[in-house]
Amino acid sequence: MVASSPSPLIGLFAKQDTTVFRTGVLAEIQKKTWKEVQPQSAANGNEVVYLVYPFRRIEAMNAETVDGILRAQVREFGARVTPEDPEYPKVAITNTLLVEEFKSFATTIMILEPERDYASKYTLPEDINIIPYLCVKVIMQTFNNDFEGILQEMLQIPGLYNQQIHAIAFLKKTRVSMKHQSEIYRRYRRKKEEVQKKVVRNVMLQVMYQMIGKDESSKFIDKFNTKLQTLNVPDNVKSVIAEELERLKYIKSFELHTVKTYLEQICSLPWGITSLESYNVQEALKILDEDHYGLDDVKNQVLEAIATMSIKGQMIGKIWCLVGPPGTGKTSFAKSIARALGRKYVRVSVGGLNLTTELKGHRRTYVGAMPGKIIQSLKQVGTQNPVVLIDEIDKMGTGDAQATMLEILDPEQNSAFVDDYLDVPFDLSKVFFILTANDVSHLSAPHLDRLEIININGYLTEEKREIFDRFLVPQAM
């Protein structure tokens, strides 16, 4: 839009997309030149370049398009404040605050970005405080190239004082934002350097492990092949071990530990290793009497079962469950039964247990996975036919844990028990399971169907005195 004036003036209005802003500047045309451009950029192959000096804000009114040209009347927008105006003292004070805020901004940006030359760009003239209007103008023109749209935003604010307040707020906000961005970038660079160092270190370690791991894998494979010769491992388990040993030749270094741990666990189980059992009734009675006073009814039940075992040559009947109040000797009696049978003894507490993984282990996909309690107990005693005491069965949680316990105790299923960690069948049919409980009413019907309840009641006062005289006093002497 060209202002209707005989002087070489021009009205300049910014345009965003298809919208022309109503507020612009009145500028004096100081120079006019022609610039050669590509033919498609201008009809005659040249475009006009004006050198202008803006000196006043104007506002367009009654704009309309005539013959394809947008025309409008203009008027001055936002009168200047002179020293004679009543609000000049307020403007002068605000102007001082604006200059100080600009200097703080310039100091901040030069510290945050020292690699860029901001000294000349963000340095104000010494007499900038004298003319408040020029101060706002100089500061906003300084920012126009770095912060798109700020000059147009300032042009649209009426009143010099309002412009000053807006400029101060803009400087403060921009300064804080730049500090935040600088801190974010600083942390990003530090994190990037840490990641790069870690990647380089990991690559170096992988190369080192690859150089060393081949020798370690070969020694490990030879060690396990030798150990397999001494184990009575089923053929299907041998094939699994052979596959894992073959993997050691090709897997990456960080997987070596996982495979080695698995092979060590599977080869440390008592495959085919059993204790020499004893079904001697007289010897069993002698051991039971040595360890416990009284409990004649309980001992008779145990001796009858041992006599039957001596005839059949193996365990028969239901699983024993010792039931009684706390402190009546259920656990110690189970240990005496193990002595009487000539078997090793191990205790597995299931009180409060709710998770199946406690009994059957975690799958190897989990970090730090290990076999469950049952397999760990057999590894601990080193035989395939120990007496395993399942302690406090009545306090075990309901749900999947109880279903897993049924699988462990059922002789029809436990001959091929599969721990989730080992993922190969292991024979539990030779294990002599004994359970203890305080109250069988908490057990499920499927459990009770598989159990033979042996009640162990508390001792009478006379029996306690006899125990004190015959057992406790000699031990204390």
Side-chain angles (χ1 to χ4, degrees):
M1 299 179 184
V2 178
S4 56
S5 170
S7 303
L9 304 177
I10 185 171
L12 303 176
F13 296 86
K15 181 179 180 182
Q16 185 176 24
D17 298 330
T18 58
T19 304
V20 178
F21 292 102
R22 291 181 58 188
T23 307
V25 294
L26 186 63
E28 180 182 350
I29 301 175
Q30 297 183 338
K31 189 177 181 181
K32 175 181 177 181
T33 59
W34 295 88
K35 178 181 178 182
E36 293 187 4
V37 295
Q38 297 294 331
Q40 61 269 26
S41 300
N44 58 358
N46 296 289
E47 64 178 21
V48 182
V49 177
Y50 291 97
L51 177 64
V52 298
Y53 173 73
F55 62 91
R56 186 165 300 173
R57 288 191 295 167
I58 56 176
E59 182 181 19
M61 301 180 300
N62 304 323
E64 60 179 356
T65 303
V66 179
D67 298 331
I69 300 175
L70 186 61
R71 299 179 181 273
Q73 296 179 347
V74 297
R75 67 178 182 182
E76 185 176 357
F77 179 74
R80 297 182 181 181
V81 178
T82 63
E84 291 75 21
D85 291 330
E87 68 171 0
Y88 184 82
K90 178 175 69 173
V91 170
I93 294 173
T94 310
N95 193 69
T96 303
L97 297 177
L98 175 60
V99 172
E100 293 300 320
E101 184 61 39
F102 179 84
K103 290 179 180 179
S104 297
F105 173 86
T107 302
T108 300
I109 196 171
M110 283 187 280
I111 292 174
L112 295 179
E113 300 184 18
E115 67 278 2
R116 299 180 64 177
D117 183 18
Y118 285 122
S120 58
K121 181 175 182 179
Y122 291 111
T123 300
L124 296 176
E126 294 183 0
D127 58 348
I128 195 68
N129 273 327
I130 298 176
I131 308 175
Y133 176 82
L134 288 180
C135 178
V136 174
K137 178 180 177 182
V138 170
I139 289 175
M140 289 303 104
Q141 286 179 341
T142 301
F143 279 108
N144 192 46
N145 292 332
D146 295 332
F147 300 92
E148 185 177 354
I150 183 61
L151 190 58
Q152 179 62 42
E153 187 179 331
M154 292 294 295
L155 282 174
Q156 296 176 194
I157 298 175
L160 178 57
Y161 176 74
N162 293 332
Q163 281 188 316
Q164 290 174 324
I165 296 299
H166 188 80
I168 292 173
F170 170 77
L171 287 170
K172 285 183 178 180
K173 179 180 177 181
T174 305
R175 178 162 54 86
V176 172
S177 176
M178 292 186 69
K179 282 185 176 180
H180 289 327
Q181 291 178 4
S182 177
E183 177 64 17
I184 292 171
Y185 183 66
R186 185 185 66 81
R187 293 185 182 184
Y188 161 75
R189 285 190 301 180
R190 185 176 65 186
K191 189 67 176 178
K192 182 180 178 182
E193 290 174 358
E194 291 176 357
V195 170
Q196 288 176 339
K197 289 179 181 178
K198 187 175 181 180
V199 169
V200 172
R201 184 174 66 250
N202 288 341
V203 171
M204 293 177 66
L205 286 174
Q206 287 183 16
V207 173
M208 182 180 69
Y209 286 150
Q210 286 174 357
M211 295 172 63
I212 300 173
K214 293 181 179 179
D215 294 335
E216 287 187 353
S217 298
S218 300
K219 293 177 182 178
F220 194 78
I221 292 170
D222 294 339
K223 172 186 171 183
F224 268 84
N225 282 328
T226 303
K227 189 172 184 178
L228 274 177
Q229 304 301 321
T230 63
L231 297 177
N232 187 18
V233 181
D235 292 339
N236 60 330
V237 179
K238 281 185 178 179
S239 63
V240 172
I241 295 175
E243 289 178 4
E244 295 295 328
L245 290 173
E246 187 65 21
R247 284 184 61 205
L248 283 177
K249 299 177 182 178
Y250 307 105
I251 60 176
K252 297 179 180 178
S253 57
F254 56 84
E255 295 181 83
L256 285 174
H257 177 71
T258 304
V259 178
K260 287 180 180 179
T261 303
Y262 173 75
L263 289 172
E264 287 171 352
Q265 290 288 343
I266 202 171
C267 290
S268 62
L269 292 177
W271 299 98
I273 301 174
T274 57
S275 301
L276 183 60
E277 299 173 330
S278 172
Y279 297 124
N280 189 313
V281 177
Q282 297 300 325
E283 186 67 24
L285 177 60
K286 178 182 177 183
I287 292 172
L288 294 177
D289 285 340
E290 285 177 357
D291 294 344
H292 294 83
Y293 173 77
L295 302 176
D296 293 335
D297 293 341
V298 179
K299 291 177 182 177
N300 288 335
Q301 282 184 270
V302 173
L303 293 174
E304 287 176 7
I306 293 176
T308 305
M309 292 178 194
S310 65
I311 297 172
K312 298 291 185 179
Q314 60 181 2
M315 292 184 304
I316 58 172
K318 296 183 177 181
I319 298 168
W320 295 349
C321 181
L322 308 180
V323 180
T328 54
K330 298 184 295 295
T331 302
S332 62
F333 198 80
K335 190 180 296 184
S336 296
I337 293 173
R339 280 187 60 206
L341 294 175
R343 300 189 182 204
K344 292 190 176 182
Y345 166 85
V346 64
R347 172 179 171 270
V348 177
S349 177
V350 296
L353 189 147
N354 289 300
L355 300 175
T356 301
T357 52
E358 293 286 338
L359 295 171
K360 296 189 70 174
H362 291 84
R363 298 196 178 277
R364 281 193 289 161
T365 51
Y366 292 93
V367 177
M370 294 295 286
K373 286 191 172 186
I374 302 301
I375 294 297
Q376 292 278 25
S377 66
L378 297 182
K379 176 187 172 184
Q380 178 183 340
V381 295
T383 63
Q384 205 167 346
N385 65 336
V387 171
V388 176
L389 177 67
I390 307 295
D391 203 10
E392 298 183 323
I393 185 71
D394 57 325
K395 296 181 178 62
M396 186 173 67
T398 59
D400 293 340
Q402 283 201 2
T404 303
M405 183 57 71
L406 282 176
E407 178 189 350
I408 293 169
L409 299 177
D410 191 349
E412 297 297 326
Q413 301 182 60
N414 64 13
S415 59
F417 173 73
V418 178
D419 184 276
D420 285 341
Y421 177 80
L422 300 179
D423 203 25
V424 293
F426 189 87
D427 187 6
L428 299 181
S429 62
K430 298 182 177 64
V431 177
F432 194 130
F433 288 105
I434 299 177
L435 280 58
T436 67
N438 301 131
D439 185 0
V440 293
S441 64
H442 296 157
L443 299 180
S444 64
H447 275 107
L448 291 173
D449 289 342
R450 291 165 171 79
L451 302 180
E452 180 177 346
I453 305 300
I454 300 177
N455 291 298
I456 300 181
N457 300 316
Y459 290 98
L460 300 174
T461 303
E462 293 78 8
E463 292 175 325
K464 291 179 181 179
R465 287 173 180 166
E466 189 68 24
I467 292 171
F468 180 80
D469 293 336
R470 291 178 55 179
F471 294 93
L472 298 181
V473 172
Q475 289 179 6
M477 296 298 290

